[in-house]
Amino acid sequence: MAKDEVATKAPESDAQESFIPGDTPAQRGASMGEISKIADVDVYITKPSDYPHLPSKLLLFLSSGTGIHSKNNQLQADKFASEGFVVIMPDQFAGDALQKNAIDPDTVTDSNPSLIEKVKMGLADTAKSFMIDMWLARQSQEKVLPLLHKVIDGAKDEFADAVANGDGVYAVGYCVGARYVLLLASELPDTVAKGQALKDEEQGVVRSAPQIRAGAIAHGKSDHSGLKTLRLTVSGTSITKEDIEGLKAPVTMACTEHDQLFPDDVRAEGQKYLVDNGIPHEIQVFPGVPHGFAVVGEYDDPKIMEAQSAAFEQMLSWLKSQLRVPTPPQSVYREDCTQCFDSIDDPTGLNVCLYCYNGGCCGDRNHAKIHYESSRHPVVLNIQRRRKKTKRDEPPQKISKLAIAAETEEDRYDTKTEVRCYECGIDDVDKSSGKLPAVVDGVLKANTFARQAEVQAWEQEITPCEHTLCLEQEPARQIESQALGHCSMCDLKGNLWLCLQCGNLGCGRQQFGGVGGNSHGLKHTELTSHAVAVKLGSLTPDGTADIYCYACNEERTDPELAAHLGHWGINIAEREKTEKSLTEMQIEQNLKWEFSMTTEDGRELKPIFGEGFTGLKNLGNSCYLASILQCLFSMPAFATRYFHPHDPVPEVPNPAEDLETQMRKVADGLLSGRYSYPDTDVIASEDSPYIPHQKGLAPAMLKHLIGRGHEEFSTMRQQDAFEFFLHLLKLVTRSAHPFPAQDPVKAFRFVMEQRLQCISCNRVRYRSDEQDNISIPVPVRRKLRVINSDESDEKPKDEFEPVSLKECLDIFTGAEEVELTCPVCNSKAGFTKRSLFKTFPDVLAVNARRFELVNWVPTKLDVPVVVDDEPFNLDIYMSSGQQDGEELLPEDGTTAATQFIPNTVALEQLEAMGFPRVRCEKALHATGNGDADTAMNWLFSHMEDPDIDSPLDLGGSNSGGASASVEPESLEMMAAMGISGPQARKALLETGGDVSRAVDWVFNHPNDQGEMEDETGQGTAKAEGPSSAKAIAGSSDLPAKFRLRSIVCHKGASIHAGHYVAFIRKPIPDEGSESWVLYNDEKVVKAVDVEEMKKFAYVYFFSRI
């Protein structure tokens, strides 16, 4: 993007002396940004590669005289972008940059020039001096300042997030640009700030505040005699005493000695003024370096290169190290370390960086010091918190309402703080000095990262919808009180819902809260299309009630509820609440869904402590995450990959936003035993049956990172543990695994081989699919019940006959018929389809599908699946592959795909549930074109598949492969972000062409140079490891014996509610053999009812032995 004639090319033999302000030897390389416009001004914009995914700051880059098209200036701006700044380099010269080729006459290269040549050289120097003098005269502040103000105002609008994150705009300036950084950092008279010349200043003149929050400048010397008059005649680049005395914002200066444009006496007087007036500043003088040394350039003299690097580090550290009060969007990590689970509750406390708010431990690991050494952020706030002792004679009271208690942190803790400075070695800095009071107070009052990342943990977010906001009621009428006594279609007197559109009364669905109901409210909606109903028994005088929208199938609010009820003659102020709300019933069920933590004789189970026995706190409906993490990190593949207690932590600028760091943090927390000890803040009396459990670790950073951008996992709602497991595996696979580290998901991968055979001509087709789990159907056989006349009105709970794991696997691998037309014999008799294992994984993840549709709502069924602890053999489910004599079908997927005829009834049912047609067809094909229930279960298990919305393809290709081509538009979009072509191509191929996922892939694979395009236009991959050949997943070795290793269990009628726990088989300290251990959030105990729980597990993990 740079113009080569502007990228200066001073000869290496020259003493790197140039007469162009800011001129440096040319630097080779491609710039990363682009020329654009802000407020109709040309600007060079370059951004961090991870922006806007991670927060950045806005930096105004004011260049030397060579302007925005200079490659050196662009590369220098790119260096700041790589450090986390969104960099805006405006054309402050309005197209009038100093062109070297316009003033560079032919040079004399003879080492012994003649007298005439000497005269020529003198005339050339004079010409240079004159032309630069004239150019500088044109770059007056009356011209430049208004332009800069326009750009700053426009940039604040376009990059408001970066401005907010940095609490303002930062600026860096070189040579000519340096003086304007000082002016922008000054409190100027309003007329001067707007570009007018300063005349006699009158009393009461309005002054403008500094336009930047902090500045950094590099100003070099020029010793040529032809330039000695410049400071006297032109103010465009020389720095005066008045320029410094106007400063109000912090500034750092990288200077050369004996600089005629910034004389030593001016610098000394200016520094005295800054000290006397308490203006934060830093001045570093670099001797023996040329003008413009601080901008990137290739010099022979290593001393100049060292000075160049030191100047950049000086300017960068200054810009990064400005104290500021945290703004609401900023994350403040003041509870636990971003790289381990040491916290403010530890004896040494936690050091919070007062520049970037990173939290670092300061004990034996001392991650806070490591952060200082890498970031050079010297000032931290040490926070030590001590829990106020409580004596408990009985187990803690259960949570009984959906709200966070008003108890404050001061009520529970004693907190001690002190400011420390690593650079000065001071452990108790005066907190009342400078900006420290406001910054410290802001850190202590800011929401912690965990609190900021979550919605209120126990409060559902219920909003209006278009049906409640746009409700049109039928003509008003008075509904007599006796008409509100029972359902209009049956005699039920409870669980009654009033249609707000027509006034009909119908009973609700039976499954909500276990209350009786015949779904006549839903029936009324199906007959009339009236969507909005209110539960009469939930009405309260203050105007609250349960509102349900059958069209959205969600609980809603009605802002005009009182008016809508008054339309039917119901005065809400006179109503009395007589039934539990849906939320209250959900709380009641949550309390009942607690897994037993007591023995048969009523004693609490004894907690287990030590390595591998650490619990995870419930962050509010996060038990699904805790149970999956416990199971994964109990497996050797994940433990080996992420548990490295003796290795240094990853060097990344934002540890809380790095998946590798957070996975290693969780691995250390769960496996090291460092945090597995009884809660010392609770003292149980000698006679109390209460046994203190551990505090548990709060994986808030990992939860935020995994859920970021995901529609469901970014919320605080309960989630499907199996869906979360699949989502996490995909994130881990897409993350970087530098050699020799291995992707731990490989332990789960295997290959299923599908065999299709035409019923008519017996030709076959084989297809291999790489998978990391199987989802097996559980047959439902209800037990017969004898109904007694004295039974209560409530519908008794169904009971089911137990089934064996073998029966489920037999169904999963059994042959089935599918309706397809044979492309060879054109028979419509169909095909038989069967899927068997081509290879087996080291760890087999099995999801047991125990759901059926009840009133179009998937409902979990408690069908017991019998799974033995003893090893079992899967050899019988091994595919034998193509047999001798079998004739293969031609590899023509077009005919088969277009002639697949989905089951019409099942397709209509699935579409009625809101699934897109493409997904419905794919689900029916994958499940044998059978019933809607089986297809729906398949859809729930494959929601996160990258090709879920791709048209059905029966071409016989490996579905795990990536497309061999990418869209040119996608490549252009990624190129605009500064991503190289090969990297963009590889990322798009790996992520199915999804640009947003491809960008994430690039961030997680920084060492992968990507796909090079060959002569055919196809890509050739460059592997990160020593071998680029992709091995087949899993192993075909027999025998294939597996043993149950862990399970995730769920209690509740829906996978999106209730509670998840994990049971893991492992050796227990002081016991000789393996036992089952229950991980119930932060509670870790030896399990006593695992045989019963195995029958109803939701996810099974089997290890190959």
Side-chain angles (χ1 to χ4, degrees), residues 744-790:
V745 181
K746 288 182 178 179
F748 292 86
R749 294 197 186 109
F750 58 95
V751 177
M752 294 292 293
E753 187 170 70
Q754 181 190 91
R755 181 179 184 270
L756 277 174
Q757 183 173 27
C758 175
I759 295 175
S760 179
C761 66
N762 292 325
R763 289 181 174 87
V764 297
R765 174 178 292 150
Y766 289 89
R767 187 181 76 182
S768 295
D769 294 300
E770 185 175 301
Q771 299 181 195
D772 50 30
N773 71 91
I774 60 174
S775 187
I776 59 174
V778 178
V780 177
R781 294 189 290 267
R782 286 179 169 82
K783 290 184 178 180
L784 295 176
R785 284 189 296 106
V786 178
I787 302 177
N788 299 322
S789 58
D790 58 349

Side-chain angles (χ1 to χ4, degrees), residues 65 91 243 636 646 673:
D91 181 10
D243 292 335
H646 304 298

Side-chain angles (χ1 to χ4, degrees), residues 835-950:
S835 295
L836 293 168
F837 290 89
K838 187 174 182 178
T839 62
F840 292 98
D842 293 331
V843 180
L844 179 62
V846 179
N847 168 229
R849 301 200 304 259
R850 295 186 180 88
F851 298 95
E852 71 175 3
L853 284 178
V854 178
N855 293 325
W856 302 103
V857 176
T859 303
K860 198 186 84 171
L861 304 177
D862 289 331
V863 181
V865 178
V866 179
V867 182
D868 294 330
D869 275 352
E870 298 303 316
F872 63 93
N873 197 312
L874 293 183
D875 290 2
I876 60 174
Y877 304 112
M878 181 79 171
S879 173
S880 56
Q882 183 181 354
Q883 300 298 300
D884 293 339
E886 286 185 335
E887 187 175 355
L888 294 177
L889 286 165
E891 292 296 329
D892 179 13
T894 306
T895 304
T898 57
Q899 297 189 18
F900 170 68
I901 304 174
N903 183 321
T904 305
V905 175
L907 181 64
E908 290 177 353
Q909 291 177 344
L910 290 169
E911 287 184 314
M913 299 178 204
F915 294 112
R917 187 181 184 89
V918 170
R919 296 189 183 188
C920 298
E921 292 179 347
K922 184 168 289 187
L924 287 169
H925 176 264
T927 56
N929 207 21
D931 59 285
D933 287 3
T934 306
M936 179 196 65
N937 289 329
W938 185 92
L939 280 170
F940 287 151
S941 300
H942 293 77
M943 285 293 192
E944 296 299 319
D945 288 2
D947 61 345
I948 188 65
D949 290 311
S950 301

Side-chain angles (χ1 to χ4, degrees), residues 363-427:
D364 57 325
R365 293 177 169 178
N366 213 347
H367 290 138
K369 186 175 181 180
I370 294 174
H371 173 73
Y372 158 68
E373 291 170 347
S374 63
S375 67
R376 308 310 298 178
H377 295 172
V379 185
V380 298
L381 177 67
N382 179 263
I383 307 176
Q384 299 178 27
R385 188 175 69 176
R386 300 293 178 268
R387 179 85 186 207
K388 294 179 179 179
K389 300 293 183 178
T390 59
K391 187 171 183 178
R392 183 172 293 154
D393 295 323
E394 57 185 20
Q397 185 178 358
K398 297 176 182 177
I399 296 175
S400 59
K401 57 183 177 180
L402 292 184
I404 298 173
E407 183 183 23
T408 64
E409 187 169 304
E410 289 75 13
D411 296 330
R412 293 173 289 172
Y413 299 99
D414 294 318
T415 304
K416 173 188 174 184
T417 63
E418 66 179 20
V419 176
R420 299 174 179 175
C421 179
Y422 280 105
E423 190 168 319
C424 303
I426 301 175
D427 285 343

Side-chain angles (χ1 to χ4, degrees), residues 988-1007:
L988 289 166
L989 289 173
E990 290 289 337
T991 55
D994 187 306
V995 174
S996 61
R997 288 177 53 214
V999 173
D1000 288 337
W1001 189 94
V1002 170
F1003 297 155
N1004 292 320
H1005 296 76
N1007 298 322

